[in-house]
Amino acid sequence: MSRFLTNTYLVLAFFLPGGQHFLFGQSGNPFTITLASNGDSLVTVLHQIEIKYPVKFYVDPSSKFHQVVSSFNFTNTPMGEALHQLLTGTDLGYIEFESYLFIISDSIRLNNNQFNEYFKRKKSIEENAIEYASVIGRPDSINRSGLALIRGKVIDGATDSVLSNMSIKINDLDTTLISDRRGNFNIVVPVGIHELTIESDAFQSLQQTLKVYSDGAIVIKLFANAFSLPEVVIGGSAQRRLENAVAGVAELTIKEIKRLPSLLGETDVLKALLTLPGVSNTGEVGSGYNVRGGNIDQNLILQEGAFHLNPTHVLGLFSAFNPDAIKNVTLYKGYIPAQYGGRTSSVLNIKLKDPDYKKWSVFGGIGPISSKIFLEGPIIKDRTSFFIGSRFTYSDWVLKLVRDPNLKNSSAGFNDFNFKLSHRLSNTGTIQVSAYQSNDRFNYAKEFGYGWNSKSVSVLYTQQFKNQLVLSASLIYSDNNSDFNDQTALVKNILENGLVYYKAKLNAGWQIFKTHTLNAGIDAIRYKPKPQIFEATLDQEITHEEINQSQGDEGALYINDEFSILPKLNASFGYRFNIYRNIGPEQINTYEPGKPRIPLNVTGMLSYTQGQTIRKFQGAEPRASLAYILSDQSSLKLAYNRLYQFIHLVSNTAAATPVDIWQLSNAFLAPQSANNFSLGYFKNLNQNEWETSFEVYYKKLENLVEYKDFAKLLRNPHLETELFPVIGKSYGAEISVKRLKNNPTGYISYTLSRSLRKSPGLFPDEVINNGQWYASNFDKPHNLNIVFDLQVRKTMFLSANFVYTTGRPQTAPIADFYLGDGGVFLNYSQRNSLRIPDYHRLDISYTITRGAIRTRKSKGSLTLAIYNFYARKNAFSVFYRRTPNEPLVGYKLAVLGTALPSITYNFQF
């Protein structure tokens, strides 16, 4: 009897007031008992049943438990029938929750429907596979009303000081409240699972799952956001992404990036980016990426404000960004806020995490071709901290295993370095210094090789004022170099080029109201391309050749206002005004008017001194994005951008090489411009468990750089004779379905798109495909990605990624002619009228964390991965050869034509 007496406190939580009178709960219980009694009390009878049979009774102590029961004799009597006889005439009733558990109380106090609803809710809480959730209250103590009071406090995670006026939202209830001056808040919610969100411009956004059983308390810690108010904050909760006015935004967390299967164990930011709708590339060794049919040079790639010209390692096999240093990755491909400029296709904004101000950590990883090490911690606790990280390769041993003798004698490798120092000048001011350096080298046998390196340093000062005004100022320096060496000829030669730039930016961000954010500022860039240097060596004699490149200044004033026009209509309006100058010193060729621009038509040369303006361009960039909230779970977004670009990648290959030229707009090369339109429908399902979207877009482009047939781009002092402008258009539709919660998670993205060009040239050598529209190098009509992530156990994860894309366009010979002693001539197809075979690939990985490989002071993970699981020989390109007296034959080049397994160990101390 002690079992149910010691648990009678449970009954007060279980019983709900009001409801119907009844004696029996669920029926059909197969449990039977055999028992006899001569006038024992109810308490005694229930105790005897508990001792003899596997059954539990929970009894309300305020009811008539001790009244005398008449004599009875049960023989194989069903439990329900026995209780009916025992309780008849006593004004008591029972509820059968399960076949072994019964609740007994005054029938007037029982409510079977409400009681079962509680257990249903309790069961749903406990069966929900949420890895990280805060538990409120006790599972064995629930309020009669089915509601629970949450008493919360919001504090600064670094200083433990209270945070007042913080906006706390319970997403699924659409309820918002504000923390008081002591950081406290109270809210009553139904028992169950709820999503709590706190979003602040001064602190990192927090989204926390709550498992609420009964009344309880929670302390919420927020951490400084390095005062990121000057930048538009995208992300946070699924609800915020639905309602945010900025259209065409994709975001990846570092957790999502690291869960994706990787090539030879190297976590890759760019390969994760390629799983998003509207993003593609030319192949497995393609440098950069393409967004909505744009060129690779039309993407502004920022890391801590510094833009990267080459975002890859090893000719495109790996990303140049260290995932351990990254906080989040945001891609703007629809509406681009006015804070960003200089590119016509997209902006990729990579935010580095803030160093830990509290404790020291060492973590890294060991893989088959590369390893990494990362150190962070405080120099002065709570005031000054830093991190430093590096990745490096030792991949040559893999090439030694290949049968091809040329590859056996080849080498490839890279290393990169990240550093960040953060110092709090006061409670509202910080200064941060970030540095990045990378080096790459690839040599093919003893024939040729590439080398490229880059380094950048950025300094950011931020000051926040009480009226939610934040001022930030940044200075950035970057130096980029590349070279190509050719060892196959009798004359050994090397070609070098590069680009240096300086950048300054001043921004003021003002949080006028909770739903109204204004940003305004100015930025300026000085471009200083390095000369192309060519050196040839023959019998110790060195020939030196140097070709200077155009220099330029780019400046802009901008303002961007994001606010709510109406309760259901959010807007973001931006305006950016650009001024660009092509400056000396430089000597400019002049050409005979009305005739083709070829070397034979050069009439003279104009000389410009240091800093003298050669050509000036300016233009306004209006931008607008509207989001209309159709319901709590759906919205419609419309966006428009007018954009200019003053720097161009000059490359006539689909996959750019490190020595391709970054050419500034000048007397012969006008700025690229684009008018981008997009319309999207967004819908969340099942309390934001699912995010779905459908977007269509159209881009109209002008002054794109195109090349004459068989153009010579390197070492050309008359480069303008090989280039001419064309117009372009891109259009398409994107579909995305993403599961954010529960198990498994993942997403499916599909893009249907076209990217076309047209040459309205004045001269025959500037007309392509008879002046008709033709496919750009990056035209891929179909692009499908499926990402799957299954939590097998709490410490084990299975991930898979499938990708399918249409083969990229190609120009190829379609016939050959033998003209006697005149040799063999090839007849080529129209430009980009053919395609290489379609591409598809499956990657899988299995990660074991903690449990199996954990000690008291350290933890780690082991990842087993297979890249290209079914060993598809995907074509990177198709080339042609002709042997004497034989027809022209096409061959497929597959760079990674086999399954590539890997095992990687990651550790943290």
Side-chain angles (χ1 to χ4, degrees):
M1 193 65 184
S2 60
R3 184 188 306 131
F4 72 85
L5 289 177
T6 57
N7 290 289
T8 53
Y9 71 93
L10 293 172
V11 179
L12 296 177
F14 290 159
F15 293 152
L16 305 175
Q20 58 194 6
H21 297 268
F22 57 89
L23 284 176
F24 298 100
Q26 289 100 341
S27 61
N29 182 1
F31 194 86
T32 62
I33 64 171
T34 299
L35 188 69
S37 173
N38 293 313
D40 293 327
S41 69
L42 177 62
V43 170
T44 302
V45 172
L46 295 180
H47 180 54
Q48 292 173 353
I49 295 175
E50 277 200 323
I51 293 175
K52 191 173 181 180
Y53 298 99
V55 64
K56 294 181 182 180
F57 297 103
Y58 292 93
V59 185
D60 182 356
S62 65
S63 60
K64 308 164 185 177
F65 292 132
H66 296 279
Q67 63 187 21
V68 177
V69 178
S70 59
S71 300
F72 62 85
N73 189 353
F74 298 143
T75 303
N76 294 325
T77 304
M79 186 74 247
E81 182 180 336
L83 281 177
H84 173 69
Q85 294 183 30
L86 289 172
L87 300 179
T88 297
T90 65
D91 294 327
L92 296 177
Y94 76 89
I95 289 177
E96 175 190 343
F97 175 61
E98 293 185 7
S99 60
Y100 62 90
L101 191 153
F102 297 86
I103 311 299
I104 300 175
S105 181
D106 293 335
S107 59
I108 196 172
R109 303 187 63 199
L110 294 176
N111 184 317
N112 193 42
N113 292 334
Q114 293 186 19
F115 183 82
N116 286 326
E117 179 63 26
Y118 155 68
F119 274 102
K120 179 181 177 182
R121 188 182 295 270
K122 182 174 182 290
K123 185 176 181 181
S124 69
I125 296 175
E126 295 174 345
E127 290 183 351
N128 200 302
I130 299 176
E131 185 178 0
Y132 303 104
S134 296
V135 176
I136 308 295
R138 296 172 52 180
D140 58 359
S141 177
I142 200 164
N143 296 339
R144 294 185 179 187
S145 64
L147 302 175
L149 171 65
I150 300 176
R151 299 180 297 276
K153 180 183 283 289
V154 186
I155 65 174
D156 188 321
T159 64
D160 290 338
S161 58
V162 298
L163 298 177
S164 61
N165 297 318
M166 303 304 296
S167 176
I168 302 105
K169 183 175 182 180
I170 307 299
N171 300 332
D172 51 300
L173 302 179
D174 197 21
T175 301
T176 302
L177 58 155
I178 305 296
S179 61
D180 62 21
R181 61 186 181 86
R182 295 181 179 178
N184 297 322
F185 68 91
N186 294 326
I187 184 171
V188 176
V189 301
V191 171
I193 294 179
H194 302 282
E195 292 289 337
L196 177 146
T197 297
I198 300 181
E199 292 176 335
S200 167
D201 295 303
F203 291 86
Q204 298 175 16
S205 297
L206 172 74
Q207 185 172 6
Q208 181 65 50
T209 300
L210 305 179
K211 289 186 174 182
V212 181
Y213 291 98
S214 59
D215 295 353
I218 183 174
V219 176
I220 298 173
K221 294 184 178 182
L222 300 182
F223 293 89
N225 201 26
F227 308 109
S228 63
L229 178 62
E231 302 294 344
V232 174
V233 178
I234 303 296
S237 67
Q239 192 68 29
R240 181 184 175 99
R241 289 191 291 271
L242 181 78
E243 300 174 356
N244 195 282
V246 179
V249 176
E251 186 176 50
L252 286 171
T253 65
I254 195 61
K255 179 180 178 181
E256 291 174 309
I257 294 172
K258 288 186 174 182
R259 285 279 183 90
L260 285 172
S262 56
L263 171 59
L264 295 175
E266 186 63 38
T267 301
D268 197 306
V269 173
L270 293 188
K271 283 186 171 54
L273 199 69
L274 293 173
T275 65
L276 300 176
V279 185
S280 62
N281 71 349
T282 57
E284 284 163 324
V285 293
S287 177
Y289 58 93
N290 312 101
V291 176
R292 291 183 170 177
N295 298 343
I296 61 175
D297 66 327
Q298 294 175 343
N299 305 308
L300 180 63
I301 304 171
L302 296 172
Q303 179 174 282
E304 294 295 281
F307 62 80
H308 284 250
L309 300 176
N310 189 344
T312 61
H313 286 307
V314 195
L315 297 174
L317 284 178
F318 305 107
S319 164
F321 307 108
N322 187 341
D324 290 327
I326 294 174
K327 176 183 175 182
N328 59 34
V329 178
T330 304
L331 176 70
Y332 299 90
K333 55 180 179 172
Y335 176 78
I336 299 176
Q339 295 93 308
Y340 307 105
R343 301 295 189 275
T344 57
S345 192
S346 74
V347 173
L348 178 66
N349 192 23
I350 299 174
K351 288 288 189 182
L352 299 184
K353 66 179 185 179
D354 293 323
D356 196 319
Y357 284 91
K358 291 289 187 181
K359 64 180 184 300
W360 285 88
S361 297
V362 179
F363 49 93
I366 302 172
I369 66 166
S370 67
S371 291
K372 56 187 178 181
I373 186 71
F374 200 92
L375 170 68
E376 69 172 331
I379 299 175
I380 303 174
K381 192 173 183 180
D382 296 328
R383 192 168 182 84
T384 306
S385 62
F386 82 103
F387 69 65
I388 184 172
S390 180
R391 299 184 299 168
F392 49 90
T393 56
Y394 34 84
S395 55
D396 291 351
W397 69 270
V398 178
L399 298 176
K400 303 299 182 185
L401 302 178
V402 181
R403 294 182 178 180
D404 189 313
N406 288 320
L407 289 177
K408 282 181 177 290
N409 295 317
S410 299
S411 62
F414 73 88
N415 64 77
D416 58 32
F417 165 88
N418 281 93
F419 172 80
K420 186 173 183 178
L421 175 70
S422 182
H423 176 67
R424 291 172 174 167
L425 300 171
S426 63
N427 290 333
T428 59
T430 63
I431 186 168
Q432 296 182 326
V433 179
S434 301
Y436 173 83
Q437 181 173 326
S438 70
N439 293 279
D440 280 78
R441 172 60 59 182
F442 172 77
N443 289 298
Y444 182 75
K446 296 182 179 180
E447 298 182 11
F448 65 89
Y450 292 102
W452 62 103
N453 62 80
S454 64
K455 56 187 176 184
S456 62
V457 178
S458 61
V459 180
L460 172 65
Y461 169 73
T462 308
Q463 181 68 48
Q464 183 176 14
F465 299 91
K466 291 184 179 179
N467 61 352
Q468 297 300 308
L469 175 67
V470 176
L471 295 179
S472 65
S474 60
L475 296 172
I476 297 168
Y477 165 78
S478 181
D479 188 346
N480 304 269
N481 300 278
S482 60
D483 65 75
F484 170 77
N485 66 83
D486 185 357
Q487 306 293 330
T488 59
L490 179 63
V491 179
K492 312 303 179 185
N493 57 69
I494 184 170
L495 176 66
E496 300 176 350
N497 62 27
L499 174 69
V500 173
Y501 72 84
Y502 305 87
K503 179 182 176 182
K505 184 173 183 177
L506 179 65
N507 188 95
W510 186 17
Q511 185 81 37
I512 303 174
F513 305 109
K514 178 189 173 184
T515 58
H516 193 169
T517 303
L518 182 70
N519 280 273
I522 181 174
D523 61 20
I525 304 173
R526 161 63 64 89
Y527 298 100
K528 298 188 68 175
K530 296 181 178 181
Q532 288 189 61
I533 298 176
F534 174 76
E535 288 188 352
T537 303
L538 176 61
D539 297 332
Q540 298 184 345
E541 289 188 11
I542 299 177
T543 301
H544 184 90
E545 181 181 293
E546 191 169 309
I547 300 174
N548 292 319
Q549 304 295 313
S550 297
Q551 299 187 41
D553 292 331
E554 180 182 343
L557 296 168
Y558 63 84
I559 184 169
N560 199 90
D561 198 4
E562 185 174 346
F563 59 98
S564 293
I565 300 176
L566 297 170
K568 289 190 175 184
L569 183 61
N570 300 324
S572 183
F573 295 110
Y575 182 84
R576 185 181 181 94
F577 187 77
N578 298 288
I579 299 176
Y580 171 81
R581 293 191 313 139
N582 173 214
I583 59 175
E586 190 171 358
Q587 292 183 326
I588 304 297
N589 295 321
T590 59
Y591 294 86
E592 189 172 348
K595 290 190 176 183
R597 197 161 56 215
I598 59 176
L600 292 177
N601 292 332
V602 173
T603 59
M605 185 173 292
L606 297 175
S607 296
Y608 294 86
T609 59
Q610 179 72 40
Q612 184 177 3
T613 300
I614 302 173
R615 187 75 185 271
K616 181 179 179 180
F617 300 96
Q618 62 186 38
E621 296 182 347
R623 314 172 187 207
S625 184
L626 298 172
Y628 182 72
I629 313 303
L630 300 172
S631 68
D632 292 340
Q633 296 290 299
S634 63
S635 65
L636 192 67
K637 298 186 182 184
L638 175 68
Y640 166 75
N641 292 276
R642 171 72 172 173
L643 304 167
Y644 286 97
Q645 180 171 328
F646 304 98
I647 186 170
H648 323 268
L649 180 62
V650 177
S651 171
N652 59 353
T653 60
T657 66
V659 291
D660 288 332
I661 303 166
W662 285 92
Q663 178 69 50
L664 298 174
S665 293
N666 53 32
F668 306 105
L669 196 60
Q672 298 181 43
S673 64
N675 287 283
N676 300 340
F677 304 85
S678 65
L679 175 65
Y681 175 72
F682 303 82
K683 185 173 182 60
N684 294 354
L685 303 170
N686 197 22
Q687 296 185 343
N688 295 328
E689 177 183 352
W690 295 85
E691 276 188 322
T692 67
S693 66
F694 174 75
E695 292 185 83
V696 293
Y697 67 87
Y698 178 81
K699 300 166 68 172
K700 181 180 179 182
L701 305 110
E702 297 177 346
N703 293 322
L704 299 176
V705 179
E706 193 56 275
Y707 317 97
K708 297 180 181 179
D709 291 335
F710 310 107
K712 178 187 177 184
L713 303 180
L714 301 178
R715 297 175 53 203
N716 188 345
H718 305 92
L719 184 61
E720 65 274 6
T721 64
E722 303 288 0
L723 311 177
F724 60 95
V726 300
I727 60 175
K729 63 180 179 181
S730 299
Y731 54 89
E734 300 170 356
I735 300 174
S736 176
V737 179
K738 188 173 187 178
R739 193 185 195 198
L740 302 172
K741 298 184 292 185
N742 298 324
N743 192 31
T745 58
Y747 53 93
I748 299 174
S749 66
Y750 170 73
T751 305
L752 174 65
S753 67
R754 294 306 309 270
S755 176
L756 306 175
R757 303 290 184 261
K758 186 177 182 181
S759 59
L762 298 177
F763 306 104
D765 61 348
E766 296 180 1
V767 176
I768 299 174
N769 293 4
N770 300 317
Q772 302 298 312
W773 288 102
Y774 63 95
S776 75
N777 289 337
F778 316 106
D779 178 62
K780 291 186 172 184
H782 302 283
N783 196 326
L784 172 68
N785 282 276
I786 302 175
V787 175
F788 175 83
D789 189 3
L790 174 67
Q791 182 177 341
V792 181
R793 293 185 179 179
K794 200 167 186 178
T795 58
M796 298 181 184
F797 302 93
L798 173 67
S799 298
N801 172 43
F802 175 78
V803 57
Y804 168 84
T805 65
T806 305
R808 60 176 172 80
Q810 185 182 42
T811 305
I814 55 177
D816 57 344
F817 301 94
Y818 180 69
L819 302 179
D821 294 336
V824 177
F825 293 86
L826 300 179
N827 181 27
Y828 281 84
S829 67
Q830 289 191 321
R831 187 171 298 190
N832 289 348
S833 62
L834 303 176
R835 291 186 181 274
I836 67 174
D838 291 352
Y839 180 101
H840 53 87
R841 188 190 77 242
L842 173 67
D843 310 324
I844 61 172
S845 68
Y846 195 82
T847 300
I848 305 170
T849 63
R850 305 177 70 179
I853 39 178
R854 183 179 182 181
T855 66
R856 180 175 297 180
K857 295 184 179 180
S858 64
K859 58 184 178 180
S861 67
L862 191 69
T863 299
L864 309 174
I866 302 178
Y867 184 87
N868 194 13
F869 181 75
Y870 51 81
R872 161 82 171 174
K873 295 185 181 297
N874 285 298
F876 174 73
S877 66
V878 175
F879 62 96
Y880 298 83
R881 287 178 178 170
R882 183 184 185 281
T883 56
N885 301 319
E886 295 292 337
L888 196 67
V889 178
Y891 297 87
K892 181 176 71 174
L893 172 63
V895 178
L896 301 176
T898 186
L900 296 174
S902 66
I903 180 170
T904 303
Y905 173 64
N906 294 297
F907 58 86
Q908 181 176 351
F909 300 97

